[in-house]
Amino acid sequence: MSDDDGVAVLTILYGTETGNAEDVAYRIADVAQRHHVPTRIYNLADYDRTELICESHVIFVVSTTGQGEFPVSVRPLWRFLLRQGLPPDILSDLTFTTFGLGDSTYARYCWASHMLHKRLLDLGASEWFENGEADDQHELGIDGGVLPWLDTFVRHLRADLCEPSCKPISPDVLMPPRVHVHVSSDMAKPSIPFIDGAHMATVVRNERVTHQEHFQDVRCIDLALNRATASSYRAGDVVCLVPENKPEDVEALLQRLGWTSVADKMLCLTKTDPHRPWPPAIWHDMQQGSLTLRRLLTVHLDPFSVPRRSFFDLIRHFSPSDHREHEKLVEFLQPGEGTDDMYEYAQRVRRSMAEVLAEFKSVKIPPSYAMELFPLMRARQYSLASDPTTYPDTLQLLVAVVKYKTRIQKPREGIASSWLARLEHGTRIPVRIQSGTLLPPAQSSTPIIAIGPGTGMAPLRSLLRERLSKSDAVVGETLVFTGCRYRAKDCLYAAEWEAWAATPHAHLTWIVAASRDQPHKIYVQDRLREWGARVWDILGPRRGIAYLCGTSGKMPQQVRQAAVDVFCEHGHMSTEQAERYLAKLEAERRWQEECW
């Protein structure tokens, strides 16, 4: 697309469920801005996809969710591009590239961006330059993929969209904030819970379900709904909620930044990008006159997460150039040894942005840059552990409280899990309910294998309780593989599985893999091999369904390998045939994963 003067405009379209793609999109825009290239940025949820035929240069920044799926905001565009009857050259005027975000521990790493890239080529679009990827597992996080790709982007930007005489704005020049924060002289009004698109839920239970001597605090949290809300809740659904930071941590940060005297004054925000919509919760607080610096840091921003390189790039501008701390911040931004030092200082030990600011005392930041300084607090998703048949008015969550140590003296804590753990009985919080990725079988007689190490049992319990609670249905065989460390300390929902296993009509067999209850460790993948004949019988001749839920990382890969081994031994396949069979099960939705 061109502006009124005929100058080519770069359009950046992003789709995400975590916020990472939005962050990358605006970092790309910052680079283009420094090279004087007009730029438009859209969340794909807000973009008119019919305008694609009018665009000239577009960068798509897309994350991958679930088992190689598009984020919700990208799915309308994808369906549009898949429509039958589209001319094969409909996008012949479009020059594009894609940047994918994903996690390489998943089998379909950056699958969504790969599919989008291929489809755009099929519709006649031209590739601008090679696509990029960012891996959450990289030691530098997504920066490990973003930074080298941005160098490539600059070369093509200058060659294709910049005027020959264009002189870029130096990185040493501080750019104005994209969202300017202005502190009013008026005191803010009390905040009102934000409900748009969400439901208010009341905490009616928050108790530890692992043994007190066990190192891991896992909590069952019950959230009561009113009956009108409960009607939209289904087994396998996911709850989205936005956590809050600890008040005492926010107070300490306000003191460090020197903002305490204006912390409770009403804020007015103005933005330079007309295409960037306000986050609904921030817009609500602004309209109500309840937005303050304290509320920004408590509810809307995430200053207690690990910083990226862009954070150090910003705060160096607010440290005196002759100060040794400024010199150190500049060193962190240098390729090679400097980047390694930054990684050791921040990412490896999980040091937060607030802790960085506490140590770099020369950094003095005005409130006007608050929205540039810290990322937005992103919503967290938790798979429901309850089913609407048994718990029609209650959402049950199974939450492992994240707490661990690094070289830093203060233990690291998960922002969302620690917030949930401290919610008191009677607290009301807004929650959103959205569809999960697990699909129940069309027939209740279909046999099922459920594999759930740790809190992976939560979504499996939701699906299986709904299935087993239907007394008038003929229920097929169910194999449940539960993973834990000690059967007596952290075997989640053990009493329920024992009861179902003793119920004749349930046809349920419960198999426990307690890894530390014997000298040699036993995991769910080991039990899967031990029960290989039954597993093959269900997934082979009887065309059953397998569900795998739990943390990402090595576990899903190890369970998948165990399935391949079972197919080889009991299905009499070669390794190649077994791997193809597993891929076929996935394509038929007879092997489903929900890992996080």
Side-chain angles (χ1 to χ4, degrees):
M1 183 170 287
S2 301
D3 63 14
D4 293 339
D5 297 324
V7 178
V9 176
L10 173 65
T11 301
I12 305 170
L13 305 175
Y14 67 88
T16 183
E17 287 182 356
T18 64
N20 281 343
E22 181 179 15
D23 175 69
V24 172
Y26 276 90
R27 289 166 71 177
I28 296 170
D30 288 343
V31 172
Q33 183 181 7
R34 287 188 180 273
H35 287 80
H36 308 285
V37 174
T39 305
R40 303 187 311 151
I41 307 176
Y42 290 100
N43 185 327
L44 276 162
D46 306 313
Y47 179 72
D48 182 357
R49 48 195 176 273
T50 62
E51 287 193 13
L52 266 184
I53 60 173
C54 304
E55 304 283 4
S56 62
H57 288 77
V58 177
I59 297 177
F60 295 87
V61 185
V62 179
S63 62
T64 297
T65 65
Q67 294 177 267
E69 297 164 353
F70 285 98
V72 172
S73 62
V74 188
R75 290 172 191 172
L77 170 69
W78 182 240
R79 289 192 293 268
F80 176 77
L81 294 176
L82 291 179
R83 283 170 44 182
Q84 293 184 351
L86 288 178
D89 61 347
I90 190 173
L91 298 180
S92 58
D93 293 331
L94 175 66
T95 301
F96 81 99
T97 192
T98 55
F99 192 92
L101 296 101
D103 186 322
S104 59
T105 60
Y106 287 81
R108 294 181 174 179
Y109 168 62
C110 286
W111 200 265
S113 63
H114 295 169
M115 291 192 294
L116 178 60
H117 198 101
K118 183 179 183 303
R119 183 56 181 162
L120 292 170
L121 291 174
D122 290 342
L123 293 174
S126 301
E127 184 180 50
W128 187 7
F129 58 95
E130 60 271 23
N131 62 302
E133 292 178 354
D135 183 4
D136 277 342
Q137 295 300 315
H138 193 282
E139 61 182 15
L140 295 178
I142 66 171
D143 278 350
V146 172
L147 295 178
W149 185 86
L150 283 176
D151 291 337
T152 303
F153 167 62
V154 168
R155 294 198 301 271
H156 288 274
L157 186 73
R158 292 193 60 81
D160 300 330
L161 294 180
C162 290
E163 294 293 328
S165 59
C166 166
K167 185 177 181 180
I169 301 172
S170 169
D172 293 329
V173 174
L174 176 64
M175 303 296 282
R178 290 170 299 196
V179 178
H180 188 279
V181 179
H182 173 72
V183 180
S184 168
S185 59
D186 299 327
M187 295 298 292
K189 300 175 182 178
S191 60
I192 301 172
F194 175 68
I195 308 177
D196 183 28
H199 309 288
M200 294 305 297
T202 303
V203 178
V204 294
R205 178 190 180 197
N206 188 347
E207 68 178 43
R208 178 171 177 147
V209 292
T210 48
H211 196 280
Q212 291 297 326
E213 295 179 358
H214 188 59
F215 79 97
Q216 177 74 74
D217 180 0
V218 178
R219 296 188 162 265
C220 183
I221 300 174
D222 288 8
L223 304 174
L225 302 171
N226 59 46
R227 291 191 176 275
T229 300
S231 63
S232 60
Y233 147 46
R234 297 182 300 175
D237 278 353
V238 172
V239 166
C240 299
L241 42 82
V242 179
E244 296 184 8
N245 294 311
K246 290 182 178 179
E248 58 268 31
D249 291 343
V250 171
E251 178 62 30
L253 180 58
L254 286 166
Q255 292 181 10
R256 159 60 189 89
L257 292 169
W259 296 353
T260 51
S261 63
V262 294
D264 299 303
K265 298 289 184 67
M266 189 168 61
L267 297 183
C268 178
L269 308 186
T270 56
K271 58 184 179 180
T272 58
D273 181 1
H275 304 296
R276 185 181 195 182
W278 291 113
I282 290 181
W283 176 250
H284 170 268
D285 280 353
M286 276 201 299
Q287 294 295 100
Q288 297 294 325
S290 58
L291 186 65
T292 64
L293 287 170
R294 188 183 304 279
R295 185 153 176 82
L296 265 183
L297 296 178
T298 302
V299 178
H300 301 301
L301 300 181
D302 193 5
F304 302 102
S305 58
V306 178
R308 293 177 180 157
R309 183 183 183 277
S310 55
F311 174 79
F312 293 100
D313 191 19
L314 177 63
I315 65 173
R316 72 184 172 94
H317 292 288
F318 299 99
S319 176
S321 58
D322 59 349
H323 200 286
R324 59 183 179 82
E325 290 182 354
H326 178 89
E327 181 181 344
K328 187 61 180 177
L329 291 169
V330 172
E331 286 179 8
F332 280 163
L333 301 174
Q334 303 308 307
E337 186 175 342
T339 299
D340 292 341
D341 289 346
M342 181 192 68
Y343 169 70
E344 289 293 328
Y345 173 74
Q347 284 85 6
R348 180 179 288 277
V349 295
R350 311 300 292 171
R351 196 184 306 269
S352 73
M353 286 175 274
E355 289 171 324
V356 172
L357 291 170
E359 295 193 355
F360 284 80
K361 294 181 172 56
S362 68
V363 175
K364 306 296 182 183
I365 303 171
S368 58
Y369 273 82
M371 293 288 289
E372 297 296 304
L373 185 60
F374 304 119
L376 291 172
M377 181 73 81
R378 63 178 180 85
R380 270 55 164 195
Q381 297 180 346
Y382 287 89
S383 299
L384 286 175
S386 53
D387 68 285
T389 299
T390 313
Y391 306 95
D393 307 325
T394 304
L395 306 177
Q396 289 191 332
L397 308 182
L398 193 64
V399 178
V401 181
V402 177
K403 192 172 185 178
Y404 58 95
K405 292 183 178 180
T406 66
R407 293 198 305 268
I408 298 177
Q409 183 176 5
K410 183 181 178 181
R412 309 291 89 187
E413 292 183 348
I415 293 171
S417 63
S418 61
W419 169 69
L420 285 167
R422 63 179 183 267
L423 290 178
E424 297 180 353
H425 189 280
T427 303
R428 299 183 75 230
I429 61 172
V431 299
R432 284 186 176 82
I433 304 171
Q434 70 179 46
S435 298
T437 60
L438 302 181
L439 300 177
Q443 304 293 331
S444 61
S445 57
T446 301
I448 281 179
I449 299 173
I451 309 161
T455 54
M457 291 311 301
L460 298 177
R461 177 180 183 258
S462 178
L463 286 176
L464 294 181
R465 284 196 66 96
E466 181 78 351
R467 166 183 166 98
L468 297 171
S469 297
K470 296 177 179 178
S471 57
D472 57 338
V474 177
V475 178
E477 181 181 5
T478 304
L479 293 186
V480 178
F481 292 87
T482 297
C484 59
R485 286 179 173 82
Y486 304 96
R487 183 163 181 158
K489 294 182 178 180
D490 66 325
C491 190
L492 304 173
Y493 301 120
E496 291 188 20
W497 299 123
E498 286 178 345
W500 283 116
T503 303
H505 89 274
H507 306 296
L508 185 144
T509 303
W510 182 45
I511 303 120
V512 179
S515 61
R516 311 280 175 90
D517 273 348
Q518 59 283 312
H520 62 288
K521 294 182 179 179
I522 298 176
Y523 299 105
V524 287
Q525 59 265 28
D526 301 314
R527 295 298 193 206
L528 207 67
R529 292 186 180 96
E530 291 174 11
W531 288 74
R534 289 271 289 279
V535 169
W536 167 248
D537 182 50
I538 289 175
L539 295 180
R542 297 168 61 192
R543 295 187 59 78
I545 299 176
Y547 298 96
L548 171 62
C549 301
T551 57
S552 61
K554 295 181 179 179
M555 183 277 293
Q557 296 174 340
Q558 292 168 340
V559 172
R560 291 168 68 91
Q561 183 57 54
V564 168
D565 294 343
V566 167
F567 300 157
C568 289
E569 180 179 356
H570 300 279
H572 310 294
M573 300 178 182
S574 66
T575 299
E576 183 179 350
Q577 289 173 325
E579 290 173 346
R580 285 204 305 267
Y581 188 73
L582 180 57
K584 179 184 176 183
L585 291 180
E586 287 186 283
E588 296 176 349
R589 302 290 288 170
R590 293 201 295 120
W591 181 281
Q592 300 182 37
E593 296 181 14
E594 187 170 285
C595 299
W596 49 84

